[in-house]
Amino acid sequence: MSAVGNVMRRSFVPRRGGGVPVGLFVAIFAAMILIAIFAPLIAPYDPDRQNLLGRLKAPGTEARDVFYLLGSDELGRDLLSRVIYGARISLSVAILSVLLSGCVGTALGMLAGYLRGWVGIVVMRLVDIFLSIPAILLAIIMVAVLGPGFVNVVFVLALTRWPRYARVAYGQTLSVAEQPYVRLARAMGAGPGRVLFRHILPNIIAPLSVVATLEFGLMVLFEAGLSFLGLGVQPPMASWGAMLSVGRNYVSNAWWIATFPGICLFLLVLSVNLIGDRLSDYLNPKSR
Amino acid sequence: MPLFLLKRLGQALVAIFGVMTLVFFIQRLTGDPTYLLVPETATQEDIEAMRASLGLDQPLLVQYVAYLWDMVRLDFGRSYVQNVAVTEIIASRLPYTLQLAGGALLVAIVVGLPVGLALAIWRRHRGTNLLMGLVLGAQSMPTFWSGILMIMIFGVWLGWLPPSGSGSLAHLVMPSIALGLLSMATYARIARSSVLDELSKDYIRSARARGVGTGRMVRTHLLRNSLIPVISISALEISQLLAGAVIVETVFAWPGLGQLTVQSVQSRDFVVVQGIVLLGAFVTISVNLIADILYSVVDPRIRKGDGP
């Protein structure tokens, strides 16, 4: 997008988390994935079951044979079960949108870097244009056109974020494509498909995976943000962002509704960011 | 220098033109944008009438040229929900968002820079790890959650600050902190690495060897030299803050552009959403342009290098 942006990002590669026990956060992340997969086995109750006599119950109370370990929400649904099912939404939206934007962005960036010429110009200008609209605004205007919902959120996030991968893939491909072994492969008659997938892709996958990890945390926040604004996953699906939005309205008499989904969101994003940082340090020793 | 400037200006203009084109095509993602503009209760006749009056029954190319011509004349259309010009609606909300962004920038700089400096100077200290952990935490904190937590603690339990709304300086405190928290972490990290870079240079070592104390060294040598990257990152942070305002304003019921965006999506006032998105892109592009120009003044190498 700008020379400053690039210079900044390169010379200030995150060096956070000096003495942080990364193992702990890997464990948190793994636990969240397991919770999401086995949600139906772990959750004590149906996350959508309403219990109008048990509305806004404090954590640790019982109402109508239901024990609310983390309390209940405004419709008497068990908060613990909803938080557990919420992990499914957060993780699946993040995984799907990272995969989709990563594949599209990488493919376009590699093509631009390999073919250069007008393809390169068109793709990279498109990247500039997408990146000059603040991401959350771009996502909101697309949701405004397409409407909210799980599938649309994934689609919108992928469409908003592919330029990040395209830019990295482009730069990496440019430098790798000039390597002697790639030139040799081409001279020996390898077609563009073979050169791109067999020779270039394996050599640029490391920096792309760092981008993907850092984007993963961002996607979790974006999904939660859109759902918080009522533009993401729609009720009654249990999204942490949507639960926070309900909690915002009951902030004076039911603190637990906003607190527990918030903690989960925070821990998930924190652990993903830390893993991403450590991954980037590991794959790129020069950045210290 | 002039060549670099002209080229950069040209890039910015291409980007603005591109953003307008992109928004035009986003409108047509579902095929017919008429449905975005009419109220939900509209009859088929209303829709037909609207389509004809907006020229949406014309060929796509004609529509596109007409749209660009409107944009060039800074005519962003009228809101069908409120029946007011979009520019007027945006102008009435803009001051609130600027106040909020200003407050957030103040929080970010006033807290972030000293924290970054401390992290660099006392990098071998035990407490520094804890501080670094806090900075890291601030960075992974969803703004809507930190906002809600503050409302809960300072607004509801302690009752020190009004929980939401606008009207006084006290109303501005919590939204500014919530919005500024992320930028604060960015500033702290950039100040830290910038100061660390300076600390490893020869002039600092010789100053130390001459017996210059830490306080004086920071005041006379370090601050000036390590401020350059901090100043230029400010430009980039401004567009971040404007985007972050969407969520923070919703949390605190702050009547700025962010709240307007969400309200407009909910009331299906698409013309307003489009105006805000274009404004956001315009601010981002110009702020980047200014940052690049400032940076090239400071660092001549940028002028020669040809960024992608």
Side-chain angles (χ1 to χ4, degrees):
Chain A
M1 174 170 37
S2 73
V4 177
N6 291 342
V7 170
M8 286 311 199
R9 240 150 266 149
R10 215 159 296 145
S11 52
F12 300 113
V13 173
R15 272 189 282 163
R16 20 179 182 164
V20 187
V22 171
L24 176 69
F25 290 97
V26 173
I28 291 177
F29 184 58
M32 292 232 179
I33 289 184
L34 289 178
I35 288 173
I37 293 173
F38 297 108
L41 299 178
I42 302 168
Y45 304 104
D46 177 356
D48 297 332
R49 197 181 79 178
Q50 302 183 2
N51 176 5
L52 294 179
L53 287 175
R55 298 167 64 224
L56 302 177
K57 290 287 175 208
T61 52
E62 207 177 324
R64 271 263 200 102
D65 302 335
V66 181
F67 179 69
Y68 296 113
L69 188 64
L70 297 186
S72 69
D73 69 3
E74 86 285 12
L75 297 172
R77 294 174 294 195
D78 177 38
L79 202 61
L80 176 62
S81 308
R82 288 187 73 73
V83 167
I84 289 172
Y85 271 86
R88 286 193 148 184
I89 306 277
S90 274
L91 287 169
S92 53
V93 169
I95 290 171
L96 290 175
S97 55
V98 163
L99 275 180
L100 199 57
S101 55
C103 290
V104 172
T106 305
L108 286 175
M110 276 170 61
L111 270 182
Y114 186 70
L115 298 176
R116 289 189 263 180
W118 64 267
V119 178
I121 292 173
V122 168
V123 171
M124 295 323 286
R125 280 290 154 263
L126 213 56
V127 165
D128 284 349
I129 291 164
F130 268 84
L131 288 179
S132 49
I133 303 179
I136 187 92
L137 285 182
L138 185 57
I140 287 178
I141 193 177
M142 285 201 259
V143 170
V145 175
L146 296 173
F150 185 89
V151 177
N152 282 356
V153 167
V154 171
F155 179 68
V156 161
L157 290 184
L159 209 55
T160 313
R161 301 308 297 180
W162 68 269
R164 281 292 302 275
Y165 303 90
R167 178 167 274 175
V168 175
Y170 172 76
Q172 296 286 326
T173 306
L174 274 187
S175 62
V176 172
E178 287 308 310
Q179 298 284 324
Y181 69 88
V182 176
R183 291 222 296 260
L184 179 67
R186 237 184 311 181
M188 289 176 73
R194 187 176 167 87
V195 171
L196 281 174
F197 284 98
R198 290 294 299 266
H199 299 287
I200 294 181
L201 186 60
N203 287 297
I204 68 170
I205 201 85
L208 283 170
S209 60
V210 172
V211 176
T213 330
L214 296 174
E215 282 287 304
F216 191 93
L218 213 57
M219 291 303 97
V220 170
L221 284 180
F222 264 55
E223 182 276 318
L226 285 176
S227 299
F228 177 81
L229 298 175
L231 307 174
V233 174
Q234 292 297 293
M237 268 188 171
S239 157
W240 290 339
M243 293 161 82
L244 278 168
S245 153
V246 172
R248 162 74 186 82
N249 297 332
Y250 291 92
V251 76
S252 52
N253 52 355
W255 56 268
W256 51 92
I257 302 182
T259 305
F260 296 115
I263 291 175
C264 292
L265 206 50
F266 174 66
L267 282 178
L268 178 58
V269 175
L270 184 65
S271 55
V272 172
N273 281 348
L274 277 169
I275 295 169
D277 276 356
R278 199 46 68 93
L279 196 64
S280 113
D281 287 352
Y282 176 75
L283 292 172
N284 187 10
K286 268 172 283 174
S287 76
R288 276 163 289 176
Chain B
M1 178 79 179
L3 188 68
F4 165 79
L5 275 184
L6 273 179
K7 231 177 131 179
R8 195 58 194 77
L9 197 66
Q11 274 181 13
L13 286 176
V14 169
I16 288 174
F17 169 77
V19 165
M20 292 197 265
T21 309
L22 180 63
V23 168
F24 177 83
F25 282 107
I26 288 176
Q27 278 182 37
R28 280 151 184 83
L29 272 178
T30 48
D32 189 348
T34 319
Y35 294 98
L36 292 171
L37 302 173
V38 295
E40 258 166 350
T41 51
T43 61
Q44 194 59 41
E45 282 154 28
D46 293 342
I47 294 173
E48 292 296 337
M50 175 77 94
R51 187 175 290 145
S53 77
L54 291 173
L56 293 172
D57 47 0
Q58 306 268 325
L60 199 63
L61 195 66
V62 177
Q63 291 180 35
Y64 178 60
V65 171
Y67 163 87
L68 282 186
W69 178 234
D70 282 347
M71 295 291 127
V72 170
R73 289 179 300 147
L74 296 179
D75 176 3
F76 295 101
R78 286 180 85 77
S79 154
Y80 299 98
V81 179
Q82 302 182 46
N83 201 21
V84 183
V86 170
T87 34
E88 223 169 287
I89 301 178
I90 290 182
S92 71
R93 300 289 197 109
L94 189 61
Y96 288 98
T97 298
L98 290 180
Q99 280 173 29
L100 180 58
L105 204 59
L106 193 73
V107 169
I109 292 176
V110 168
V111 181
L113 292 190
V115 166
L117 188 65
L119 285 174
I121 292 180
W122 292 304
R123 63 188 176 286
R124 289 186 229 292
H125 234 265
R126 278 244 161 155
T128 314
N129 265 341
L130 185 71
L131 199 59
M132 196 67 201
L134 285 180
V135 168
L136 244 166
Q139 214 158 22
S140 305
M141 197 85 165
T143 41
F144 38 101
W145 192 47
S146 53
I148 293 173
L149 280 185
M150 275 195 281
I151 293 177
M152 212 140 73
I153 296 169
F154 300 108
V156 179
W157 291 345
L158 297 173
W160 290 352
L161 291 164
S164 66
S166 65
S168 72
L169 207 58
H171 284 96
L172 192 57
V173 176
M174 285 199 292
S176 300
I177 296 176
L179 184 57
L181 210 56
L182 190 65
S183 299
M184 186 275 285
T186 313
Y187 273 111
R189 286 198 11 228
I190 282 163
R192 173 179 176 269
S193 46
S194 169
V195 169
L196 279 180
D197 277 354
E198 287 302 316
L199 274 178
S200 64
K201 290 190 177 158
D202 288 340
Y203 75 94
I204 293 285
R205 217 172 29 186
S206 52
R208 281 289 204 191
R210 287 201 312 273
V212 177
T214 302
R216 184 158 164 210
M217 185 190 68
V218 169
R219 275 196 309 278
T220 57
H221 297 291
L222 262 182
L223 278 187
R224 268 162 178 261
N225 284 314
S226 44
L227 267 182
I228 295 164
V230 172
I231 290 169
S232 42
I233 203 77
S234 292
L236 300 172
E237 280 305 308
I238 288 172
S239 62
Q240 290 284 326
L241 288 177
L242 290 179
V246 176
I247 286 181
V248 171
E249 287 180 5
T250 306
V251 173
F252 290 97
W254 184 260
L257 284 179
Q259 198 196 35
L260 177 66
T261 315
V262 179
Q263 286 169 347
S264 306
V265 173
Q266 279 158 358
S267 60
R268 296 168 50 81
D269 202 349
F270 186 80
V271 196
V272 177
V273 182
Q274 174 189 304
I276 296 170
V277 170
L278 289 173
L279 178 70
F282 182 74
V283 170
T284 309
I285 292 169
S286 10
V287 143
N288 273 320
L289 180 67
I290 294 167
D292 273 4
I293 292 171
L294 282 182
Y295 212 66
S296 76
V297 172
V298 176
D299 187 346
R301 279 168 302 178
I302 304 275
R303 264 173 263 161
K304 293 184 190 127
D306 189 13

